[in-house]
Amino acid sequence: MKRNFFPVLISSVFFAGAALAQTDSSSVKNPVKRKVTTGMAVYAEIGVLANSTMTDMRKELKTQSVDPFSSFMSSIVLAHRAESSKWMMEHRLILSGSGKYDEDKVDFKRANLWGAGIGLTGGPKIVNTPKLNVYIPIGVDLMYYRMLIKSNPAASLNKLINNPGTYQPVKINTKTINVNAGLGLDYKTGWFTKHYDSFYLSTRVAYHLPVATSGQWRGDNVQVNDLTSFKPNQLYVSVGIVASMKHRAGMWGGMR
């Protein structure tokens, strides 16, 4: 049942987001058409509070002589934004990680933690002026996390050919559903008006809280029963840009 839950929820989230983005009405009986603009956004998200489950996992990895990842997660988020004068909504693609990249040490065990997912965030604008948007983003993210433990051994070609499985890294994974809420601010720069209808500098503070997980870490045909389950509750600060390109009706005229 749990295996089927994540795909069903993914479909539900995005069909709901698409339906909400189609109309912006004050009531069902008397819909009011409002101008909706769309654009693309890119954000850098940085965790600013230590996560207790990450701290526990780090301790457990150290007992196995594995150099752990850091206590903080950071992410790159690509988003499609739709907004009117009173609300905003984003479909998000999230790539996150917490790791180290030193590959020079031989026979040294090191763990990296990576994540990828999709999300939907939306909320009302509480301030909308010619220079500022202030809004309350509320959303849900569906995340897949993988832990990779590499030993970086040295071996002869003969050993590698005859015993390839001996040198494979350990790969285990887990899934979570995270809800988030916070406060966002867009500064309307007025830059690049030749190419963009709007160009924002955007920042956001949001707390991410896991509401469901797939449980213990799992690998191929194995469940890890002595490693803390990952619950990525953390306060994130994000900074980025949001841009809406100008639509040129005649831009394909020369190709007809």
Side-chain angles (χ1 to χ4, degrees):
M1 184 70 180
K2 186 179 291 185
R3 292 181 180 178
N4 296 329
F5 181 63
F6 281 88
V8 170
L9 187 59
I10 289 172
S11 301
S12 301
V13 166
F14 277 84
F15 278 122
L20 288 172
Q22 293 299 316
T23 60
D24 181 17
S25 58
S26 57
S27 70
V28 175
K29 293 182 179 179
N30 299 301
V32 178
K33 291 184 179 179
R34 299 190 179 101
K35 182 180 179 181
V36 176
T37 60
T38 59
M40 300 301 295
V42 58
Y43 302 100
E45 289 188 346
I46 302 170
V48 295
L49 292 178
N51 177 279
S52 60
T53 58
M54 291 182 73
T55 300
D56 291 342
M57 287 190 295
R58 283 168 49 83
K59 292 178 181 178
E60 291 158 2
L61 288 167
K62 286 179 180 179
T63 64
Q64 302 297 323
S65 301
V66 177
D67 185 41
F69 40 78
S70 68
S71 298
F72 302 93
M73 294 289 287
S74 58
S75 304
I76 295 294
V77 179
L78 305 177
H80 177 268
R81 179 186 282 202
E83 64 179 351
S84 72
S85 60
K86 294 188 176 182
W87 60 265
M88 59 75 64
M89 179 176 292
E90 288 180 347
H91 289 84
R92 294 155 41 94
L93 175 65
I94 307 147
L95 302 173
S96 62
S98 177
K100 302 173 183 178
Y101 305 96
D102 183 8
E103 299 287 349
D104 295 332
K105 294 183 179 180
V106 178
D107 294 323
F108 183 75
K109 297 177 183 177
R110 171 160 291 156
N112 289 313
L113 179 62
W114 305 98
I118 55 177
L120 176 67
T121 297
K125 293 183 180 180
I126 56 177
V127 175
N128 184 7
T129 72
K131 279 296 183 181
L132 290 176
N133 286 327
V134 181
Y135 56 93
I136 301 174
I138 301 170
V140 59
D141 298 331
L142 312 178
M143 296 294 299
Y144 170 88
Y145 295 98
R146 165 162 284 192
M147 189 187 304
L148 185 67
I149 302 173
K150 299 172 66 176
S151 299
N152 200 27
S156 67
L157 180 60
N158 180 62
K159 287 183 177 180
L160 185 60
I161 292 173
N162 291 299
N163 300 283
T166 305
Y167 305 102
Q168 294 297 315
V170 175
K171 300 175 183 178
I172 53 178
N173 57 75
T174 189
K175 307 179 191 73
T176 68
I177 302 172
N178 308 326
V179 296
N180 57 79
L183 187 68
L185 183 146
D186 298 324
Y187 173 66
K188 304 174 184 179
T189 65
W191 298 346
F192 313 118
T193 55
K194 183 177 180 181
H195 301 289
Y196 296 96
D197 287 326
S198 61
F199 193 95
Y200 301 163
L201 299 180
S202 184
T203 186
R204 187 180 303 173
V205 178
Y207 191 78
H208 293 229
L209 179 68
V211 294
T213 76
S214 58
Q216 294 290 338
W217 289 92
R218 297 176 182 272
D220 292 336
N221 300 314
V222 64
Q223 177 174 304
V224 183
N225 57 20
D226 62 348
L227 182 62
T228 299
S229 298
F230 183 39
K231 297 178 180 178
N233 49 302
Q234 199 165 56
L235 182 69
Y236 281 88
V237 174
S238 67
V239 293
I241 59 173
V242 182
S244 177
M245 293 193 69
K246 287 185 178 295
H247 296 283
R248 296 180 173 86
M251 65 182 300
W252 303 110
M255 299 181 66
R256 294 178 182 174

